């Protein structure tokens, strides 16, 4: 069997049309036609590997006829996670937080829109975060989803508002009846221990989502 015959066989067995194969290989439809007819004198090795991925056939077999025809299918050892059972709800964006030094902000500007996410917390709300003080972990413009009724989880994010009006998103390290220790999202700013009497609210951050998820 010639190379072009093996290529034609692989494409036919894949069940894909020539246009789809061309798109996956990053070439024109005419190039695939030439491969099938044996008219291509410039079929590159990278084309064979792309064709291998697109069809599931071994690149070595396509090129030379040697080796196994098909790529070996590896069984995944990833177990599926539990199904999402929380109801989806429209979580309102209540404001935009302009981040300042060390990830703190004072006051909130108005913001519009909402985020669709599964949440069991009827009081869940969203904050749009602006600024680079939490980069690269949290980018400017991304959205923090806060759930006031959710239990706090060590090593996950919390939104803390202090009685003096200062607010912040931090990683929770430890919480006692006397104080709370948090780690800045940006490692450059380190840890901070806050006496419990200075904290007005501390809410669990359920998710950080991209601005593309905003709906108006």
């Amino acid at each position: 069997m010639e190379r072009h015959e093996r290529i034609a066989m692989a494409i036919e067995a894949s069940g894909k049309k020539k246009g789809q194969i061309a798109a996956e290989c990053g070439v024109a439809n005419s190039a695939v036609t030439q491969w099938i007819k044996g008219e291509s004198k410039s079929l590159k090795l990278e084309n064979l590997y792309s064709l291998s991925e697109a069809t599931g056939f071994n690149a070595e077999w396509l090129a030379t006829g040697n080796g196994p025809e098909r790529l070996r299918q590896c069984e995944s050892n990833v177990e599926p996670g539990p199904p999402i059972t929380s109801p989806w709800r429209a979580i309102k964006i209540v404001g935009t937080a302009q981040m300042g030094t060390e990830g703190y902000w004072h006051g909130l500007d108005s913001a519009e829109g909402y985020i669709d996410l599964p949440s069991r917390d009827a009081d869940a709300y969203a904050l749009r975060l602006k600024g680079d003080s939490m980069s690269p972990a949290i980018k400017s413009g991304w959205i923090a989803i806060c759930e006031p009724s959710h239990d706090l989880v060590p090593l996950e994010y919390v939104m803390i508002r202090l009685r003096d009006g200062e607010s912040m998103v931090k990683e929770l390290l430890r919480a006692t009846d006397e104080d709370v220790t948090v780690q800045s999202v940006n490692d450059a700013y380190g840890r901070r221990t806050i006496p419990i009497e200075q904290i007005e609210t501390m809410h669990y951050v359920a998710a950080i989502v991209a601005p593309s998820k905003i709906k108006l």
Side-chain angles (χ1 to χ4, degrees), residues 135-147:
S135 179
I138 301 176
K139 299 178 181 179
S140 180
W142 284 52
I143 315 299
I145 309 298
C146 302
E147 294 184 337

Side-chain angles (χ1 to χ4, degrees), residues 19-65:
Q20 185 177 354
I21 294 292
E24 293 184 24
C25 293
V27 298
N29 289 4
S30 59
V32 177
T33 300
Q34 291 175 348
W35 297 348
I36 293 172
K37 293 183 177 180
E39 297 174 353
S40 176
K41 298 180 180 179
S42 59
L43 181 60
K44 301 177 181 178
L45 184 60
E46 62 189 55
N47 297 139
L48 284 169
Y49 280 115
S50 297
L51 188 59
S52 172
E53 292 182 4
T55 62
F57 279 74
N58 184 11
E60 181 184 2
W61 180 83
L62 289 172
T64 66

Side-chain angles (χ1 to χ4, degrees), residues 17-201:
K17 296 182 179 180
K18 286 191 293 183
Q20 185 177 354
I21 294 292
E24 293 184 24
C25 293
V27 298
N29 289 4
S30 59
V32 177
T33 300
Q34 291 175 348
W35 297 348
I36 293 172
K37 293 183 177 180
E39 297 174 353
S40 176
K41 298 180 180 179
S42 59
L43 181 60
K44 301 177 181 178
L45 184 60
E46 62 189 55
N47 297 139
L48 284 169
Y49 280 115
S50 297
L51 188 59
S52 172
E53 292 182 4
T55 62
F57 279 74
N58 184 11
E60 181 184 2
W61 180 83
L62 289 172
T64 66
N66 297 324
E69 289 185 8
R70 302 266 186 170
L71 293 173
R72 186 174 62 181
Q73 299 297 320
C74 298
E75 293 185 4
S76 174
N77 61 357
V78 178
E79 295 183 5
I84 296 175
T85 57
S86 299
W88 287 75
R89 65 173 70 252
I91 301 175
K92 182 176 176 57
I93 300 174
V94 299
T96 298
Q98 178 63 53
M99 310 307 293
T101 304
E102 298 190 17
Y104 308 137
W105 72 86
H106 288 80
L108 296 173
D109 296 327
S110 60
E112 295 182 349
Y114 64 93
I115 304 291
D116 269 335
L117 278 180
S119 175
R120 293 186 179 277
D121 193 336
D123 297 320
Y125 63 92
L127 288 172
R128 188 165 192 167
L129 308 175
K130 291 182 63 177
D132 298 322
S133 61
M134 294 189 295
S135 179
I138 301 176
K139 299 178 181 179
S140 180
W142 284 52
I143 315 299
I145 309 298
C146 302
E147 294 184 337
S149 301
H150 197 290
D151 292 337
L152 301 177
V153 181
L155 304 182
E156 296 193 17
Y157 293 148
V158 290
M159 199 290 290
I160 299 176
R161 188 188 304 276
L162 302 184
R163 296 188 185 281
D164 64 3
E166 184 180 45
S167 299
M168 64 197 81
V169 172
K170 300 285 187 181
E171 179 185 340
L172 178 64
L173 299 181
R174 181 179 64 91
T176 70
D177 293 336
E178 297 180 353
D179 55 42
V180 171
T181 301
V182 293
Q183 171 74 39
S184 293
V185 176
N186 187 324
D187 290 338
Y189 299 121
R191 298 183 179 186
R192 177 177 176 180
T193 297
I194 308 169
I196 201 71
E197 60 268 16
Q198 294 182 12
I199 298 175
E200 181 177 299
T201 58

